[in-house]
Amino acid sequence: MSPSDDAPELAPLPVRVALPADPVLDLPEQEVVARLWRRQQTEKGWLYLVGLPSYRDLDDGGVEAAEYRVWVRAPDHVRPVDGVDYDQVVTEHLPQAPTSVVREVLGERRPSGWVLAKILEGRGPARGVLHAPDCDEAPQGAPLLGVEQALNAAENPGTRLCTVCGCAQELTPMMSGFDHITDS
């Protein structure tokens, strides 16, 4: 197996590779020093392209030293050699997931749900304020309310909806319905 032609090939670095045990021959797992050519990040972890020492037959019947290149999973089958700096190894990282236009415009999603901040009696007509859970004015540790619970609390005349965090903009259309939208 050879590395892809489009990536630069630097001098390989030594790396220890764990060879599998062979129960048929009663051989334990062994380690050999191989050459690390490149590494690639995948969804399931890291793969390392290593060159294992090998031999190859020649046409004239002779044998010569060769290298067998294979991708192995790290760290399961690859271990560093003490004192070697692997920063120079060609490394392919997973590409960043593209950011959607919606996410760019709106930013990160806030946590789902709402929280109710109870206000002590005697401080005005409102006895509670509904907030988004990440609102600066939301009480810490308050239980999260689902849509149905939040709408029930919002319908209470003693509850107002926070305009700072957008709770009012989210819940008001659900409370008053969407009847004001026309087909025109």
Side-chain angles (χ1 to χ4, degrees):
M1 178 179 230
S2 64
S4 64
D5 296 330
D6 59 346
E9 194 165 290
L10 302 173
L13 295 173
V15 67
R16 293 182 298 149
V17 176
L19 300 178
D22 188 340
V24 175
L25 297 175
D26 195 29
L27 292 174
E29 182 179 284
Q30 300 176 41
E31 277 190 359
V32 297
V33 175
R35 300 190 317 163
L36 175 59
W37 287 97
R38 67 185 325 113
R39 42 191 183 180
Q40 181 180 52
Q41 186 180 25
T42 69
E43 302 254 340
K44 295 182 179 179
W46 285 91
L47 294 177
Y48 281 36
L49 180 62
V50 297
L52 296 166
S54 181
Y55 292 100
R56 108 171 104 224
D57 293 329
L58 298 174
D59 291 337
D60 66 2
V63 176
E64 72 177 357
E67 180 179 77
Y68 173 71
R69 290 188 187 180
V70 62
W71 288 97
V72 294
R73 188 154 309 283
D76 302 342
H77 307 290
V78 182
R79 293 165 183 72
V81 171
D82 292 337
V84 176
D85 180 12
Y86 294 101
D87 289 341
Q88 301 306 313
V89 175
V90 175
T91 304
E92 299 171 29
H93 293 278
L94 275 177
Q96 292 286 341
T99 305
S100 74
V101 174
V102 172
R103 191 64 56 228
E104 282 183 31
V105 171
L106 298 178
E108 289 301 313
R109 291 184 61 166
R110 69 165 179 83
S112 61
W114 294 270
V115 294
L116 181 61
K118 295 184 180 182
I119 298 176
L120 298 175
E121 294 291 329
R123 295 189 69 204
R127 291 186 301 270
V129 180
L130 271 173
H131 298 278
D134 59 347
C135 180
D136 291 337
E137 297 182 18
Q140 295 297 320
L144 278 178
L145 303 177
V147 175
E148 198 69 37
Q149 294 170 310
L151 288 173
N152 287 340
E155 288 176 350
N156 182 335
T159 302
R160 65 182 178 85
L161 307 179
C162 179
T163 56
V164 174
C165 63
C167 181
Q169 291 85 349
E170 291 176 4
L171 292 178
T172 301
M174 289 190 267
M175 290 173 45
S176 59
F178 297 95
D179 296 336
H180 63 281
I181 300 174
T182 62
D183 293 332
S184 59

Short mmCIF file of all heavy atoms in Angstrom, two decimals, residues 102-169:
data_model
loop_
_atom_site.label_atom_id
_atom_site.label_comp_id
_atom_site.label_asym_id
_atom_site.label_seq_id
_atom_site.Cartn_x
_atom_site.Cartn_y
_atom_site.Cartn_z
N VAL A 102 -27.62 29.55 8.60
CA VAL A 102 -28.54 29.83 9.70
C VAL A 102 -27.75 29.94 11.00
O VAL A 102 -27.94 30.86 11.79
CB VAL A 102 -29.61 28.71 9.82
CG1 VAL A 102 -30.44 28.89 11.07
CG2 VAL A 102 -30.49 28.69 8.58
N ARG A 103 -26.81 29.01 11.24
CA ARG A 103 -26.03 29.02 12.47
C ARG A 103 -25.12 30.24 12.51
O ARG A 103 -24.91 30.83 13.57
CB ARG A 103 -25.20 27.73 12.58
CG ARG A 103 -24.57 27.49 13.89
CD ARG A 103 -25.52 27.29 15.07
NE ARG A 103 -26.47 26.24 14.88
CZ ARG A 103 -27.78 26.37 15.12
NH1 ARG A 103 -28.27 27.48 15.58
NH2 ARG A 103 -28.59 25.39 14.90
N GLU A 104 -24.59 30.67 11.36
CA GLU A 104 -23.75 31.86 11.32
C GLU A 104 -24.55 33.11 11.70
O GLU A 104 -24.07 33.95 12.43
CB GLU A 104 -23.13 32.05 9.93
CG GLU A 104 -21.95 31.15 9.67
CD GLU A 104 -21.34 31.43 8.31
OE1 GLU A 104 -21.38 32.58 7.84
OE2 GLU A 104 -20.81 30.49 7.71
N VAL A 105 -25.78 33.21 11.18
CA VAL A 105 -26.60 34.38 11.44
C VAL A 105 -27.14 34.38 12.86
O VAL A 105 -27.07 35.36 13.58
CB VAL A 105 -27.76 34.47 10.42
CG1 VAL A 105 -28.73 35.56 10.80
CG2 VAL A 105 -27.21 34.71 9.02
N LEU A 106 -27.68 33.24 13.29
CA LEU A 106 -28.33 33.17 14.60
C LEU A 106 -27.38 32.86 15.74
O LEU A 106 -27.71 33.10 16.89
CB LEU A 106 -29.43 32.10 14.57
CG LEU A 106 -30.58 32.33 13.60
CD1 LEU A 106 -31.57 31.18 13.66
CD2 LEU A 106 -31.27 33.65 13.90
N GLY A 107 -26.23 32.30 15.44
CA GLY A 107 -25.30 31.91 16.49
C GLY A 107 -25.65 30.54 17.04
O GLY A 107 -26.50 29.82 16.50
N GLU A 108 -25.01 30.17 18.12
CA GLU A 108 -25.26 28.87 18.72
C GLU A 108 -26.67 28.81 19.29
O GLU A 108 -27.21 29.81 19.74
CB GLU A 108 -24.24 28.60 19.83
CG GLU A 108 -22.85 28.32 19.29
CD GLU A 108 -22.80 27.13 18.35
OE1 GLU A 108 -23.37 26.07 18.69
OE2 GLU A 108 -22.23 27.28 17.27
N ARG A 109 -27.23 27.61 19.31
CA ARG A 109 -28.57 27.43 19.88
C ARG A 109 -28.50 27.55 21.39
O ARG A 109 -27.57 27.12 22.02
CB ARG A 109 -29.10 26.05 19.52
CG ARG A 109 -29.41 25.89 18.06
CD ARG A 109 -29.99 24.56 17.82
NE ARG A 109 -31.23 24.44 18.59
CZ ARG A 109 -32.12 23.50 18.39
NH1 ARG A 109 -31.93 22.59 17.48
NH2 ARG A 109 -33.22 23.44 19.12
N ARG A 110 -29.52 28.14 21.93
CA ARG A 110 -29.59 28.22 23.38
C ARG A 110 -30.16 26.89 23.88
O ARG A 110 -30.77 26.14 23.13
CB ARG A 110 -30.46 29.40 23.80
CG ARG A 110 -31.93 29.22 23.48
CD ARG A 110 -32.74 30.25 24.25
NE ARG A 110 -34.14 30.14 23.98
CZ ARG A 110 -34.96 29.28 24.56
NH1 ARG A 110 -34.51 28.43 25.43
NH2 ARG A 110 -36.24 29.26 24.27
N PRO A 111 -30.00 26.61 25.17
CA PRO A 111 -30.58 25.39 25.73
C PRO A 111 -32.09 25.41 25.58
O PRO A 111 -32.72 26.47 25.64
CB PRO A 111 -30.19 25.45 27.20
CG PRO A 111 -29.07 26.42 27.29
CD PRO A 111 -29.23 27.37 26.14
N SER A 112 -32.70 24.26 25.36
CA SER A 112 -34.14 24.23 25.17
C SER A 112 -34.87 24.36 26.51
O SER A 112 -34.32 24.04 27.55
CB SER A 112 -34.55 22.92 24.48
OG SER A 112 -34.18 21.83 25.29
N GLY A 113 -36.08 24.84 26.44
CA GLY A 113 -36.90 24.99 27.62
C GLY A 113 -36.93 26.41 28.14
O GLY A 113 -36.35 27.34 27.54
N TRP A 114 -37.65 26.59 29.26
CA TRP A 114 -37.78 27.88 29.91
C TRP A 114 -37.70 27.68 31.41
O TRP A 114 -37.90 26.56 31.91
CB TRP A 114 -39.12 28.53 29.54
CG TRP A 114 -39.20 28.87 28.09
CD1 TRP A 114 -38.84 30.04 27.51
CD2 TRP A 114 -39.64 28.03 27.03
NE1 TRP A 114 -39.02 29.99 26.15
CE2 TRP A 114 -39.52 28.74 25.82
CE3 TRP A 114 -40.11 26.72 26.95
CZ2 TRP A 114 -39.86 28.22 24.59
CZ3 TRP A 114 -40.45 26.19 25.72
CH2 TRP A 114 -40.31 26.94 24.56
N VAL A 115 -37.42 28.74 32.12
CA VAL A 115 -37.41 28.68 33.59
C VAL A 115 -38.27 29.82 34.13
O VAL A 115 -38.36 30.89 33.52
CB VAL A 115 -35.98 28.77 34.18
CG1 VAL A 115 -35.16 27.55 33.81
CG2 VAL A 115 -35.27 30.02 33.74
N LEU A 116 -38.90 29.56 35.27
CA LEU A 116 -39.77 30.54 35.89
C LEU A 116 -39.09 31.13 37.11
O LEU A 116 -38.69 30.40 38.02
CB LEU A 116 -41.10 29.89 36.30
CG LEU A 116 -42.14 30.79 36.94
CD1 LEU A 116 -42.55 31.92 35.98
CD2 LEU A 116 -43.34 29.98 37.37
N ALA A 117 -38.91 32.45 37.09
CA ALA A 117 -38.35 33.15 38.25
C ALA A 117 -39.53 33.67 39.06
O ALA A 117 -40.32 34.47 38.57
CB ALA A 117 -37.47 34.30 37.80
N LYS A 118 -39.66 33.17 40.28
CA LYS A 118 -40.77 33.62 41.13
C LYS A 118 -40.37 34.92 41.82
O LYS A 118 -39.27 35.05 42.33
CB LYS A 118 -41.11 32.54 42.14
CG LYS A 118 -41.63 31.29 41.45
CD LYS A 118 -42.07 30.25 42.42
CE LYS A 118 -42.57 29.06 41.60
NZ LYS A 118 -43.06 28.00 42.42
N ILE A 119 -41.31 35.87 41.83
CA ILE A 119 -41.08 37.17 42.45
C ILE A 119 -41.91 37.23 43.72
O ILE A 119 -43.08 36.83 43.73
CB ILE A 119 -41.44 38.32 41.49
CG1 ILE A 119 -40.54 38.24 40.25
CG2 ILE A 119 -41.31 39.66 42.17
CD1 ILE A 119 -40.86 39.26 39.20
N LEU A 120 -41.32 37.73 44.76
CA LEU A 120 -42.01 37.81 46.06
C LEU A 120 -43.21 38.73 45.95
O LEU A 120 -43.22 39.72 45.21
CB LEU A 120 -41.05 38.33 47.13
CG LEU A 120 -39.83 37.45 47.40
CD1 LEU A 120 -38.92 38.14 48.39
CD2 LEU A 120 -40.27 36.10 47.93
N GLU A 121 -44.23 38.40 46.71
CA GLU A 121 -45.44 39.22 46.74
C GLU A 121 -45.10 40.64 47.21
O GLU A 121 -44.16 40.84 47.98
CB GLU A 121 -46.46 38.61 47.71
CG GLU A 121 -47.01 37.27 47.28
CD GLU A 121 -47.92 37.37 46.07
OE1 GLU A 121 -48.59 38.40 45.89
OE2 GLU A 121 -47.96 36.41 45.30
N GLY A 122 -45.85 41.62 46.75
CA GLY A 122 -45.68 42.99 47.19
C GLY A 122 -44.69 43.78 46.36
O GLY A 122 -44.39 44.93 46.67
N ARG A 123 -44.15 43.23 45.30
CA ARG A 123 -43.20 43.98 44.48
C ARG A 123 -43.81 44.31 43.13
O ARG A 123 -43.12 44.35 42.13
CB ARG A 123 -41.93 43.15 44.28
CG ARG A 123 -41.20 42.92 45.61
CD ARG A 123 -39.86 42.31 45.40
NE ARG A 123 -38.97 43.27 44.76
CZ ARG A 123 -37.91 42.92 44.05
NH1 ARG A 123 -37.61 41.66 43.89
NH2 ARG A 123 -37.16 43.83 43.51
N GLY A 124 -45.09 44.50 43.06
CA GLY A 124 -45.75 44.82 41.81
C GLY A 124 -46.68 43.71 41.38
O GLY A 124 -46.80 42.70 42.05
N PRO A 125 -47.35 43.93 40.23
CA PRO A 125 -48.37 42.96 39.81
C PRO A 125 -47.79 41.61 39.36
O PRO A 125 -48.45 40.60 39.48
CB PRO A 125 -49.09 43.66 38.67
CG PRO A 125 -48.13 44.69 38.19
CD PRO A 125 -47.28 45.08 39.37
N ALA A 126 -46.61 41.60 38.85
CA ALA A 126 -46.05 40.35 38.35
C ALA A 126 -45.57 39.48 39.50
O ALA A 126 -44.92 39.95 40.41
CB ALA A 126 -44.89 40.64 37.39
N ARG A 127 -45.94 38.20 39.47
CA ARG A 127 -45.50 37.27 40.51
C ARG A 127 -44.51 36.25 39.97
O ARG A 127 -44.03 35.41 40.70
CB ARG A 127 -46.70 36.58 41.12
CG ARG A 127 -47.55 37.54 41.94
CD ARG A 127 -48.65 36.83 42.66
NE ARG A 127 -49.56 36.11 41.78
CZ ARG A 127 -50.66 36.61 41.24
NH1 ARG A 127 -51.01 37.86 41.49
NH2 ARG A 127 -51.43 35.88 40.48
N GLY A 128 -44.21 36.35 38.69
CA GLY A 128 -43.24 35.45 38.09
C GLY A 128 -42.82 35.96 36.72
O GLY A 128 -43.56 36.69 36.07
N VAL A 129 -41.61 35.60 36.32
CA VAL A 129 -41.10 35.98 35.00
C VAL A 129 -40.53 34.73 34.35
O VAL A 129 -39.72 34.02 34.94
CB VAL A 129 -39.99 37.06 35.11
CG1 VAL A 129 -39.50 37.45 33.73
CG2 VAL A 129 -40.49 38.27 35.86
N LEU A 130 -40.96 34.46 33.12
CA LEU A 130 -40.42 33.34 32.35
C LEU A 130 -39.17 33.80 31.59
O LEU A 130 -39.18 34.86 30.97
CB LEU A 130 -41.46 32.82 31.35
CG LEU A 130 -42.41 31.75 31.85
CD1 LEU A 130 -43.47 31.46 30.80
CD2 LEU A 130 -41.68 30.48 32.22
N HIS A 131 -38.13 32.98 31.66
CA HIS A 131 -36.85 33.28 30.99
C HIS A 131 -36.39 32.07 30.18
O HIS A 131 -36.77 30.93 30.48
CB HIS A 131 -35.74 33.56 32.02
CG HIS A 131 -35.97 34.73 32.89
ND1 HIS A 131 -35.70 36.01 32.50
CD2 HIS A 131 -36.43 34.81 34.17
CE1 HIS A 131 -35.97 36.84 33.48
NE2 HIS A 131 -36.43 36.13 34.52
N ALA A 132 -35.52 32.34 29.23
CA ALA A 132 -34.76 31.26 28.60
C ALA A 132 -33.75 30.79 29.64
O ALA A 132 -33.31 31.57 30.48
CB ALA A 132 -34.04 31.77 27.35
N PRO A 133 -33.34 29.52 29.64
CA PRO A 133 -32.45 29.02 30.69
C PRO A 133 -31.09 29.71 30.73
O PRO A 133 -30.46 29.77 31.78
CB PRO A 133 -32.29 27.54 30.39
CG PRO A 133 -33.03 27.27 29.15
CD PRO A 133 -33.76 28.48 28.72
N ASP A 134 -30.65 30.26 29.61
CA ASP A 134 -29.33 30.92 29.59
C ASP A 134 -29.42 32.43 29.76
O ASP A 134 -28.43 33.14 29.60
CB ASP A 134 -28.57 30.57 28.31
CG ASP A 134 -29.30 30.99 27.04
OD1 ASP A 134 -30.50 31.33 27.13
OD2 ASP A 134 -28.68 30.96 25.98
N CYS A 135 -30.60 32.94 30.11
CA CYS A 135 -30.78 34.38 30.34
C CYS A 135 -30.01 34.79 31.59
O CYS A 135 -29.99 34.06 32.59
CB CYS A 135 -32.27 34.70 30.51
SG CYS A 135 -32.60 36.45 30.78
N ASP A 136 -29.39 35.95 31.55
CA ASP A 136 -28.64 36.45 32.70
C ASP A 136 -29.53 36.67 33.92
O ASP A 136 -29.06 36.62 35.05
CB ASP A 136 -27.93 37.77 32.36
CG ASP A 136 -26.80 37.57 31.36
OD1 ASP A 136 -26.28 36.44 31.28
OD2 ASP A 136 -26.45 38.54 30.67
N GLU A 137 -30.81 36.90 33.69
CA GLU A 137 -31.73 37.16 34.80
C GLU A 137 -32.46 35.91 35.26
O GLU A 137 -33.26 35.96 36.19
CB GLU A 137 -32.72 38.24 34.39
CG GLU A 137 -32.04 39.56 34.10
CD GLU A 137 -33.02 40.67 33.73
OE1 GLU A 137 -34.22 40.52 34.02
OE2 GLU A 137 -32.57 41.66 33.16
N ALA A 138 -32.21 34.76 34.62
CA ALA A 138 -32.87 33.52 35.01
C ALA A 138 -32.27 33.00 36.32
O ALA A 138 -31.07 33.12 36.55
CB ALA A 138 -32.71 32.48 33.91
N PRO A 139 -33.11 32.44 37.17
CA PRO A 139 -32.59 31.90 38.44
C PRO A 139 -31.76 30.64 38.19
O PRO A 139 -32.12 29.81 37.35
CB PRO A 139 -33.86 31.58 39.23
CG PRO A 139 -34.92 31.37 38.21
CD PRO A 139 -34.56 32.27 37.05
N GLN A 140 -30.65 30.52 38.88
CA GLN A 140 -29.79 29.35 38.75
C GLN A 140 -30.45 28.15 39.42
O GLN A 140 -31.00 28.26 40.50
CB GLN A 140 -28.43 29.62 39.39
CG GLN A 140 -27.62 30.71 38.71
CD GLN A 140 -27.28 30.34 37.28
OE1 GLN A 140 -26.95 29.20 36.97
NE2 GLN A 140 -27.35 31.31 36.40
N GLY A 141 -30.39 27.01 38.76
CA GLY A 141 -30.90 25.78 39.35
C GLY A 141 -32.41 25.61 39.26
O GLY A 141 -32.94 24.64 39.80
N ALA A 142 -33.10 26.55 38.63
CA ALA A 142 -34.56 26.41 38.50
C ALA A 142 -34.86 25.27 37.54
O ALA A 142 -34.13 25.05 36.57
CB ALA A 142 -35.16 27.71 37.99
N PRO A 143 -35.95 24.53 37.77
CA PRO A 143 -36.29 23.41 36.88
C PRO A 143 -36.67 23.91 35.48
O PRO A 143 -37.29 24.97 35.34
CB PRO A 143 -37.47 22.73 37.56
CG PRO A 143 -38.02 23.74 38.51
CD PRO A 143 -36.90 24.66 38.86
N LEU A 144 -36.26 23.15 34.48
CA LEU A 144 -36.61 23.50 33.10
C LEU A 144 -38.07 23.16 32.84
O LEU A 144 -38.55 22.09 33.24
CB LEU A 144 -35.75 22.71 32.11
CG LEU A 144 -34.37 23.25 31.82
CD1 LEU A 144 -33.63 22.32 30.87
CD2 LEU A 144 -34.44 24.64 31.24
N LEU A 145 -38.76 24.06 32.19
CA LEU A 145 -40.16 23.84 31.81
C LEU A 145 -40.22 23.51 30.33
O LEU A 145 -39.55 24.14 29.51
CB LEU A 145 -40.99 25.10 32.08
CG LEU A 145 -41.00 25.65 33.51
CD1 LEU A 145 -41.81 26.93 33.57
CD2 LEU A 145 -41.54 24.61 34.47
N GLY A 146 -41.04 22.54 29.99
CA GLY A 146 -41.28 22.23 28.59
C GLY A 146 -42.24 23.24 27.99
O GLY A 146 -42.71 24.17 28.67
N VAL A 147 -42.56 23.08 26.72
CA VAL A 147 -43.44 24.03 26.02
C VAL A 147 -44.79 24.13 26.72
O VAL A 147 -45.28 25.22 27.00
CB VAL A 147 -43.63 23.62 24.54
CG1 VAL A 147 -44.64 24.52 23.85
CG2 VAL A 147 -42.33 23.64 23.80
N GLU A 148 -45.41 22.98 27.00
CA GLU A 148 -46.75 22.98 27.61
C GLU A 148 -46.73 23.67 28.97
O GLU A 148 -47.59 24.50 29.28
CB GLU A 148 -47.24 21.53 27.73
CG GLU A 148 -48.72 21.40 27.93
CD GLU A 148 -49.52 21.81 26.69
OE1 GLU A 148 -49.08 21.53 25.56
OE2 GLU A 148 -50.58 22.42 26.89
N GLN A 149 -45.74 23.34 29.80
CA GLN A 149 -45.64 23.96 31.12
C GLN A 149 -45.39 25.46 31.01
O GLN A 149 -45.96 26.25 31.75
CB GLN A 149 -44.50 23.31 31.92
CG GLN A 149 -44.75 21.86 32.27
CD GLN A 149 -43.49 21.22 32.85
OE1 GLN A 149 -42.42 21.33 32.27
NE2 GLN A 149 -43.64 20.58 34.00
N ALA A 150 -44.53 25.86 30.09
CA ALA A 150 -44.22 27.28 29.91
C ALA A 150 -45.45 28.04 29.44
O ALA A 150 -45.73 29.16 29.92
CB ALA A 150 -43.07 27.46 28.93
N LEU A 151 -46.22 27.47 28.52
CA LEU A 151 -47.43 28.13 28.04
C LEU A 151 -48.47 28.25 29.16
O LEU A 151 -49.13 29.28 29.29
CB LEU A 151 -48.02 27.39 26.84
CG LEU A 151 -47.23 27.52 25.54
CD1 LEU A 151 -47.80 26.60 24.48
CD2 LEU A 151 -47.20 28.96 25.06
N ASN A 152 -48.59 27.21 29.98
CA ASN A 152 -49.53 27.28 31.11
C ASN A 152 -49.12 28.39 32.07
O ASN A 152 -49.96 29.16 32.55
CB ASN A 152 -49.59 25.94 31.84
CG ASN A 152 -50.35 24.90 31.05
OD1 ASN A 152 -51.13 25.22 30.16
ND2 ASN A 152 -50.10 23.64 31.35
N ALA A 153 -47.81 28.48 32.35
CA ALA A 153 -47.33 29.54 33.26
C ALA A 153 -47.51 30.91 32.61
O ALA A 153 -47.89 31.89 33.28
CB ALA A 153 -45.86 29.31 33.59
N ALA A 154 -47.29 31.02 31.31
CA ALA A 154 -47.39 32.31 30.62
C ALA A 154 -48.82 32.82 30.58
O ALA A 154 -49.05 34.03 30.54
CB ALA A 154 -46.84 32.18 29.20
N GLU A 155 -49.79 31.91 30.58
CA GLU A 155 -51.20 32.33 30.55
C GLU A 155 -51.67 32.87 31.89
O GLU A 155 -52.71 33.50 31.97
CB GLU A 155 -52.07 31.15 30.10
CG GLU A 155 -51.89 30.85 28.63
CD GLU A 155 -52.67 29.62 28.18
OE1 GLU A 155 -53.19 28.87 29.05
OE2 GLU A 155 -52.75 29.40 26.98
N ASN A 156 -50.91 32.64 32.92
CA ASN A 156 -51.25 33.16 34.25
C ASN A 156 -51.09 34.68 34.21
O ASN A 156 -50.04 35.19 33.81
CB ASN A 156 -50.32 32.54 35.29
CG ASN A 156 -50.62 33.00 36.70
OD1 ASN A 156 -51.19 34.07 36.93
ND2 ASN A 156 -50.23 32.18 37.65
N PRO A 157 -52.10 35.45 34.63
CA PRO A 157 -51.99 36.91 34.59
C PRO A 157 -50.88 37.47 35.47
O PRO A 157 -50.42 38.59 35.25
CB PRO A 157 -53.36 37.41 35.06
CG PRO A 157 -54.17 36.24 35.40
CD PRO A 157 -53.41 35.00 35.09
N GLY A 158 -50.42 36.72 36.43
CA GLY A 158 -49.35 37.19 37.29
C GLY A 158 -47.96 36.88 36.76
O GLY A 158 -46.96 37.13 37.43
N THR A 159 -47.89 36.35 35.55
CA THR A 159 -46.58 36.01 34.95
C THR A 159 -46.33 36.90 33.75
O THR A 159 -47.21 37.13 32.92
CB THR A 159 -46.57 34.54 34.49
OG1 THR A 159 -46.85 33.71 35.61
CG2 THR A 159 -45.22 34.15 33.92
N ARG A 160 -45.13 37.43 33.69
CA ARG A 160 -44.74 38.18 32.48
C ARG A 160 -43.59 37.43 31.79
O ARG A 160 -42.94 36.58 32.39
CB ARG A 160 -44.39 39.62 32.79
CG ARG A 160 -43.20 39.85 33.64
CD ARG A 160 -42.99 41.35 33.93
NE ARG A 160 -41.86 41.52 34.79
CZ ARG A 160 -40.60 41.59 34.36
NH1 ARG A 160 -40.34 41.56 33.08
NH2 ARG A 160 -39.61 41.72 35.23
N LEU A 161 -43.39 37.74 30.53
CA LEU A 161 -42.37 37.07 29.73
C LEU A 161 -41.18 38.00 29.54
O LEU A 161 -41.34 39.16 29.18
CB LEU A 161 -42.95 36.68 28.37
CG LEU A 161 -44.24 35.85 28.41
CD1 LEU A 161 -44.73 35.55 27.01
CD2 LEU A 161 -44.05 34.57 29.20
N CYS A 162 -40.00 37.49 29.76
CA CYS A 162 -38.78 38.29 29.65
C CYS A 162 -38.57 38.71 28.19
O CYS A 162 -38.66 37.89 27.27
CB CYS A 162 -37.59 37.48 30.15
SG CYS A 162 -36.01 38.35 30.03
N THR A 163 -38.28 39.98 27.99
CA THR A 163 -37.99 40.48 26.65
C THR A 163 -36.49 40.52 26.38
O THR A 163 -36.06 40.64 25.24
CB THR A 163 -38.59 41.88 26.44
OG1 THR A 163 -38.09 42.74 27.46
CG2 THR A 163 -40.10 41.84 26.48
N VAL A 164 -35.68 40.41 27.44
CA VAL A 164 -34.23 40.46 27.28
C VAL A 164 -33.72 39.23 26.55
O VAL A 164 -32.92 39.31 25.62
CB VAL A 164 -33.54 40.59 28.67
CG1 VAL A 164 -32.02 40.49 28.54
CG2 VAL A 164 -33.94 41.89 29.33
N CYS A 165 -34.22 38.05 26.96
CA CYS A 165 -33.71 36.80 26.39
C CYS A 165 -34.53 36.31 25.21
O CYS A 165 -34.18 35.31 24.59
CB CYS A 165 -33.64 35.72 27.46
SG CYS A 165 -35.24 35.25 28.15
N GLY A 166 -35.62 36.94 24.89
CA GLY A 166 -36.41 36.53 23.75
C GLY A 166 -37.53 35.57 24.10
O GLY A 166 -38.22 35.07 23.21
N CYS A 167 -37.75 35.31 25.37
CA CYS A 167 -38.83 34.41 25.79
C CYS A 167 -40.18 34.94 25.29
O CYS A 167 -41.00 34.17 24.80
CB CYS A 167 -38.82 34.27 27.30
SG CYS A 167 -40.07 33.16 27.95
N ALA A 168 -40.39 36.24 25.40
CA ALA A 168 -41.66 36.84 24.96
C ALA A 168 -41.86 36.63 23.46
O ALA A 168 -42.96 36.29 23.00
CB ALA A 168 -41.68 38.32 25.29
N GLN A 169 -40.80 36.80 22.69
CA GLN A 169 -40.91 36.65 21.23
C GLN A 169 -41.17 35.19 20.84
O GLN A 169 -41.80 34.92 19.83
CB GLN A 169 -39.63 37.14 20.53
CG GLN A 169 -39.41 38.62 20.60
CD GLN A 169 -38.72 39.06 21.89
OE1 GLN A 169 -38.56 38.31 22.84
NE2 GLN A 169 -38.31 40.32 21.92
#
